[in-house]
């Protein structure tokens, strides 16, 4: 085993990281974490660079599993749990050795375990983590569902528990935000929303539908006999070693109940403000807004645009011993240490408005209202911000400037809106170009025109070619684009004098405000996203 070198040394020898970075990563590393994972998370290296170093330094080949002909007979040598836990998958037997794709071919403990368990010499090859997960999902699932059909004599409950476990594990590992269980006439489709897009990953036999849905409803404390009305519930559990909060929503359809499971990964719940993709200018403005002692700060954008993460980022930043922060939410997405969080419960009459009235008697400095849904809540939030509290909330509008007319439409007196509102952040999520297969090209005429129209120029634009890291999508992960509107005295008087949105827009532009499209175009110029993504978030160009 002359090859047993340390990963940090290999990366340092290849000139990819410095000794300081290795030390920082080692300090940051949790006991059950691998050094390579910490370096990937910190952005010191990309997965592709890691693979190339291992391939070159250790002489271990890299394989793409996207269309690899895996011999399904060898899957029995490695149990699915072991495969998922260690990110490995057996591929085939050749020359009396078992070829195994591994995320970390330097994990000699796993190799030793495999040799003991299988009796074969193990020949490792390298594959990306996601590539292995997709392959496990595809091949093991096929085998398991076949064995379920043949084995209907197996304890049904056992089979359903295993199936649900598998569906959830896949969702967490693929970093899906939602799992859709869609009943069709002849079967049931399992779809995962990854980076904002739905992918059908598997289909389940129709005869398993009712038991699977009943199992989910039991875990979520829902009424299993009620199949004709929508229901909502939650399950707090751990999938593998990951603590997750699952939001369950059932909806009766013509082919049975459709279930959507929203996954909240409690490990990645709280982001620091610096991780929220603000441009330098917008970051400065947002910090200034949240540091004020009072006023109303609103976050706006469609459902699923990351508003809650940005709000929690602000609360996390402000969460000090000398301030009393109280939130009222529906539902409480993430539980935060040191913050008093109230869950709306309309069944017992605890609405946003009632909760907010009680919160004001709790001597708060900072209040967060999950969402302004009606006139009563809006009015109390506005009045709270005028009586010396800093109030955060969210609203559904298309842009930051549409917020004021929206509040006035809700029935709030214009002078109250104008005097209480200190700033609005509008936000969207766009897919991020995969760092491992990023490439550039010359911009098209249309792209040049869009840049010119926004007072910008562009020489090169970027795109993802597609690789095994991003499952040949060209994108991996998402980033936020923002616009931050700060309400100053001049804008207040313009609003009170009923100036049009176009006049307000012209003034904001004069003051140097970056609109969503401009922030998006700048992020495109920085190689973070593409024109296709910016066009998809329906912002005027």
């Amino acid at each position: 085993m002359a090859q047993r070198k340390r990963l940090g040394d290999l990366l340092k020898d290849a000139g990819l990281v410095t000794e300081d970075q290795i030390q920082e990563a080692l300090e940051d590393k949790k006991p059950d974490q691998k050094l390579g994972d910490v370096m990937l998370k910190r952005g010191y290296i990309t997965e592709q660079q890691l693979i190339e170093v291992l391939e070159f330094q250790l002489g271990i080949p890299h394989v793409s599993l996207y269309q690899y002909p895996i011999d399904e007979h060898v899957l029995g040598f490695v149990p699915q749990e072991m495969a998922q836990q260690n990110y490995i998958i057996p591929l085939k037997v050749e020359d009396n050795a078992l070829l195994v794709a591994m995320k970390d071919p330097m994990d000699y403990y796993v190799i030793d375990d495999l040799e003991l368990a299988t009796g074969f010499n193990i020949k490792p090859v390298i594959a990306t983590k996601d590539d292995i997960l997709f392959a496990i999902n595809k091949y093991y699932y096929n085998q398991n569902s076949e064995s379920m059909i043949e084995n209907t004599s197996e304890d049904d409950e056992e089979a359903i528990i295993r199936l649900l476990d598998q569906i959830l594990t896949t969702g967490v590992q693929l970093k899906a935000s939602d799992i859709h269980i869609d009943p069709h006439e002849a079967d049931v489709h399992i779809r995962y929303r990854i980076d904002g897009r739905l992918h059908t990953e598997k289909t389940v036999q129709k005869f398993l539908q009712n038991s699977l849905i009943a199992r989910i409803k039991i875990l979520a404390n829902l009424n299993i006999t009620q199949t004709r009305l929508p229901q909502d519930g939650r399950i707090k559990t751990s999938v593998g070693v990951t603590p997750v909060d699952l939001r369950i929503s059932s909806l009766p359809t013509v082919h049975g109940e459709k279930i959507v499971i929203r996954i909240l990964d409690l490990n990645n719940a709280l982001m620091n403000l610096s991780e929220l993709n603000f441009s330098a200018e917008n970051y400065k403005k947002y910090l200034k807004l949240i540091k004020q002692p009072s006023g109303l700060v609103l976050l706006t954008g469609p459902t699923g645009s990351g508003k809650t993460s940005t709000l929690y980022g602000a609360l996390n930043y402000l969460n000090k011993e000398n301030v009393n922060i109280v939130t009222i939410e529906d539902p409480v997405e993430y539980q935060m240490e040191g913050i008093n969080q109230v869950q709306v419960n309309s069944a017992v009459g605890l609405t946003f408005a009632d909760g907010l009235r009680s919160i004001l008697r709790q001597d708060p400095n900072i209040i967060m209202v999950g969402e302004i849904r009606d006139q009563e809540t809006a009015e109390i939030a506005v009045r709270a911000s005028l009586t010396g509290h800093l109030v955060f909330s969210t609203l559904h509008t298309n842009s930051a400037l549409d917020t004021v007319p929206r509040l006035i439409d809700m029935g709030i007196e214009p002078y109250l809106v104008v005097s209480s509102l200190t700033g609005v952040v509008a936000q969207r999520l766009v897919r991020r170009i995969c760092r491992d297969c990023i490439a550039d090209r010359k911009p098209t005429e249309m792209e040049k025109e869009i840049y010119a129209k926004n007072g910008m120029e562009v020489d090169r634009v970027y795109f993802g070619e597609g690789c095994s890291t991003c499952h040949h999508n060209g994108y991996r992960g998402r980033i936020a684009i923002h616009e931050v509107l700060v309400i100053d005295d001049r804008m207040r008087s313009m609003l009170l004098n009923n100036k049009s949105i176009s006049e307000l827009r012209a003034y904001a532009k004069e003051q140097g405000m970056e609109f969503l499209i401009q922030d998006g175009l700048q992020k495109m110029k920085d190689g973070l996203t593409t024109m296709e993504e910016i066009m998809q978030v329906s912002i005027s160009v």
Side-chain angles (χ1 to χ4, degrees), residues 82 95 106 123 170 173 198 229 237 381-382 422 481 519 532:
M82 185 182 188
D95 306 331
M106 296 179 73
K123 193 173 162 192
T170 303
Q173 291 186 321
L198 275 172
L229 287 175
T237 182
V382 162
T422 51
I481 54 176
D519 192 35
E532 175 200 10

Side-chain angles (χ1 to χ4, degrees), residues 377-402:
T377 311
E379 205 147 84
I380 305 167
V382 162
R383 291 186 187 279
S385 67
L386 289 171
T387 52
H389 303 94
L390 179 58
V391 181
F392 291 102
S393 192
T394 67
L395 200 63
H396 291 276
T397 62
N398 282 335
S399 71
L401 285 165
D402 292 333

Side-chain angles (χ1 to χ4, degrees), residues 327-330 342-359 369-371 373-374 376-377 380:
T327 76
I328 178 152
E329 304 167 62
D330 182 24
V342 179
Q343 163 81 48
V344 165
N345 185 349
S346 353
V348 297
L350 177 54
T351 62
F352 272 119
D354 292 334
L356 195 45
R357 277 195 199 91
S358 308
I359 285 171
V369 184
E371 192 185 334
R373 292 179 187 167
D374 53 44
E376 199 183 1
T377 311
I380 305 167

